[in-house]
Amino acid sequence: MIDFTPSKNDQAAFDRARASALICRKYARYYDENEHEMAPETLPETEAFMASHPEIPPPGPEDSSYPTRLSRLSMIHYWGDYTVRLQRERGGLGNAALSAAGTDEQKKKWMGLCLAMAITEPGCGSDPSRVATTAVLDEETDEWVINGEKIFVTTGIRADAVVLWATLDRSAGRAGIKSFLVEKGTPGFDVPHKEKKLGIRADDTAAYVFRDCRVPRGNLLGGDETIARKGSGGFRGVMKTFNMTRPLTAAMGLGLAEAALDFTREHLDEAGITLDYTAGPATQTAAAERFMRLEGIFEASKLTTMQACWLAGEGKPNNMESSVSKAHAGGSVRVITQGCIEILGAMGISREHLLEKWMRDCRITDIYEGTGEIQRLIIARGLLDYTRADLK
Ligand SMILES: Cc1cc2nc3c(=O)[nH]c(=O)nc-3n(C[C@H](O)[C@H](O)[C@H](O)COP(=O)(O)OP(=O)(O)OC[C@H]3O[C@@H](n4cnc5c(N)ncnc54)[C@H](O)[C@@H]3O)c2cc1C
């Protein structure tokens, strides 16, 4: 039986995370309005908080409850503030790819660094098989020579290095695509600009350019290219990363939606509007009825997210479920935050409050790590047993 009741230890960890998330929330407006100003690794009040609230030891990644716990913690952190939290995270999406597809030696060398992941290019987004950045092996020097351009790289400024997708042979399509570990400061690796965005404005999203950038042969993720051809470090190996990160992305968006619901509930309460969960729609106020519908959407999304994480923890396939959680959350966080704004009217769009920011921040849930449309393609293929060629 699936049981999501948190253990006593986990509940204490969640309560602690919620208190610390509220510290981040105090800085949310500042870093939204001062786009690209980096939040310090430790916020002024955080050290005092840490001293008075000792860390509650979590179960390790080998524990089956680990992914579900991680999703709940992500939800809580982003309930505090998406962008300040994102800035303070040490690892990036590239760390997840390294963990899924790197050799032991590579993990030892690179895991302590913050690794971004760069797939998207000006001519390639939803369909990564169109990656045009090239990697050519220089047999004389035993180095890969990389040329190309990447855009919208999350944690692109803060990252120490990047897991970069490049093709060895464009005519080979997906089979030709490999990932490479490239450190900042390598000659030929430039960061020409930071992206300016609608939401998650404090997040350091960057563009990268590679011009004859040389990296050692061993920087191919998964080892040398003959091993990589068999799977590890190749397209499939790295795509597996998303089975865990997509539900976590869903959880982050849901954290914002929960913040919006809490804010709205509080203001409905102040306005004397009662939420009666036992009464039918005919006897509710329109605002209460609308609000409870939004709560229902939230619960459904949260459950799909936790189910995808639970499957990961049990070591069961979750490719389709992770897409269900991401697609569902991507849509529901928009409906919820916009619905809360509609219920509260002017208060909802005022910059005096964070609700309008949560609406902007949550939009990304349905874009990065595969848009909603792409998730629905994956779900349809899974349900109908279609191949990529059958349905694209
Ligand atoms: C803030 C931010 C951070 C990001 N971080 C990263 C990062 O760290 N690393 C990285 O590599 N990328 C990152 N991205 C890029 C992101 O992953 C892409 O924007 C996304 O995959 C969509 O690609 P695209 O923008 O090129 O849109 P396109 O692929 O051009 O798609 C345009 C529209 O067409 C739809 N569409 C495309 N193909 C199909 C299809 N087959 N069927 C139906 N509809 C389809 C899409 O859903 C979308 O609505 C980030 C983007 C943003 C905005």
Side-chain angles (χ1 to χ4, degrees):
M1 191 187 76
I2 303 182
D3 181 4
F4 293 135
T5 313
S7 67
K8 231 174 154 186
N9 191 57
D10 278 358
Q11 190 55 56
F14 299 155
D15 293 345
R16 179 182 180 277
R18 209 164 271 274
S20 115
L22 274 178
I23 298 178
C24 291
R25 193 182 282 183
K26 285 191 204 169
Y27 293 85
R29 180 60 75 191
Y30 180 85
Y31 288 105
D32 179 54
E33 291 189 344
N34 294 278
E35 190 169 9
H36 299 145
E37 194 178 311
M38 303 288 266
E41 286 221 350
T42 311
L43 293 168
E45 296 96 325
T46 310
E47 265 181 51
F49 177 85
M50 296 288 186
S52 56
H53 296 75
E55 186 119 32
I56 294 155
E62 66 291 340
D63 189 290
S64 67
S65 70
Y66 179 77
T68 316
R69 188 183 203 268
L70 202 60
S71 74
R72 294 183 83 153
L73 280 172
S74 296
M75 217 179 281
I76 295 169
H77 290 311
Y78 289 83
W79 170 87
D81 182 54
Y82 196 106
T83 46
V84 177
R85 173 67 202 171
L86 203 58
Q87 284 208 323
R88 295 173 60 246
E89 266 172 11
R90 248 331 267 159
L93 187 55
N95 293 78
L98 174 65
S99 168
T103 61
D104 288 345
E105 200 182 319
Q106 286 172 336
K107 285 180 195 167
K108 208 163 138 198
K109 179 171 174 200
W110 298 85
M111 206 38 123
L113 303 180
C114 175
L115 304 177
M117 175 117 113
I119 306 168
T120 308
E121 301 177 357
C124 148
S126 296
D127 181 2
S129 68
R130 294 167 60 125
V131 161
T133 296
T134 54
V136 177
L137 186 64
D138 181 340
E139 303 253 7
E140 266 181 39
T141 60
D142 239 9
E143 288 171 322
W144 295 102
V145 185
I146 298 169
N147 279 287
E149 194 180 337
K150 297 287 173 182
I151 53 171
F152 283 102
V153 184
T154 297
T155 61
I157 305 295
R158 242 180 345 121
D160 306 304
V162 61
V163 172
L164 167 83
W165 289 36
T167 176
L168 306 189
D169 174 7
R170 283 202 81 180
S171 67
R174 285 168 184 251
I177 295 171
K178 305 293 170 211
S179 305
F180 299 84
L181 291 149
V182 189
E183 205 161 354
K184 287 261 186 74
T186 307
F189 177 0
D190 292 318
V191 184
H193 70 267
K194 300 175 192 174
E195 311 282 2
K196 290 183 179 164
K197 310 183 297 293
L198 167 83
I200 57 164
R201 299 181 68 212
D203 177 29
D204 53 321
T205 316
Y208 288 168
V209 171
F210 299 86
R211 286 189 201 92
D212 290 330
C213 176
R214 289 175 170 267
V215 297
R217 189 171 186 159
N219 282 24
L220 187 145
L221 192 66
D224 83 51
E225 63 278 15
T226 45
I227 301 169
R229 246 177 226 129
K230 288 182 194 149
S232 82
F235 198 86
R236 273 174 169 236
V238 183
M239 284 306 271
K240 272 193 193 154
T241 315
F242 292 123
N243 290 350
M244 193 52 230
T245 59
R246 280 177 178 156
L248 292 181
T249 302
M252 294 172 195
L254 287 169
L256 293 163
E258 191 178 17
L261 287 170
D262 288 351
F263 179 80
T264 308
R265 193 182 299 105
E266 211 175 283
H267 287 280
L268 287 178
D269 189 46
E270 275 172 18
I273 294 171
T274 314
L275 301 171
D276 183 351
Y277 294 93
T278 60
T283 51
Q284 301 275 358
T285 62
E289 199 266 340
R290 177 94 196 267
F291 182 77
M292 284 189 266
R293 275 179 195 272
L294 299 179
E295 285 185 314
I297 296 170
F298 173 79
E299 284 304 318
S301 252
K302 187 171 151 188
L303 284 173
T304 61
T305 299
M306 290 174 72
Q307 186 203 17
C309 291
W310 178 83
L311 286 167
E314 294 293 308
K316 296 182 178 169
N318 74 340
N319 183 44
M320 195 173 75
E321 288 79 3
S322 70
S323 286
V324 169
S325 70
K326 171 91 165 46
H328 203 284
S332 61
V333 296
R334 287 150 73 186
V335 170
I336 292 167
T337 52
Q338 287 177 22
C340 287
I341 287 178
E342 282 156 23
I343 291 171
L344 293 181
M347 180 187 271
I349 52 163
S350 164
R351 291 169 76 88
E352 286 286 307
H353 305 285
L354 289 171
L355 181 50
E356 62 81 28
K357 176 181 178 296
W358 292 326
M359 182 203 71
R360 288 185 284 114
D361 285 350
C362 80
R363 182 62 183 86
I364 193 63
T365 312
D366 210 24
I367 301 176
Y368 58 14
E369 299 203 27
T371 62
E373 287 79 13
I374 297 305
Q375 306 309 325
R376 283 184 277 279
L377 270 180
I378 297 170
I379 297 162
R381 284 186 204 126
L383 286 175
L384 302 170
D385 205 17
Y386 280 177
T387 64
R388 192 180 299 280
D390 294 328
L391 195 61
K392 53 186 171 189

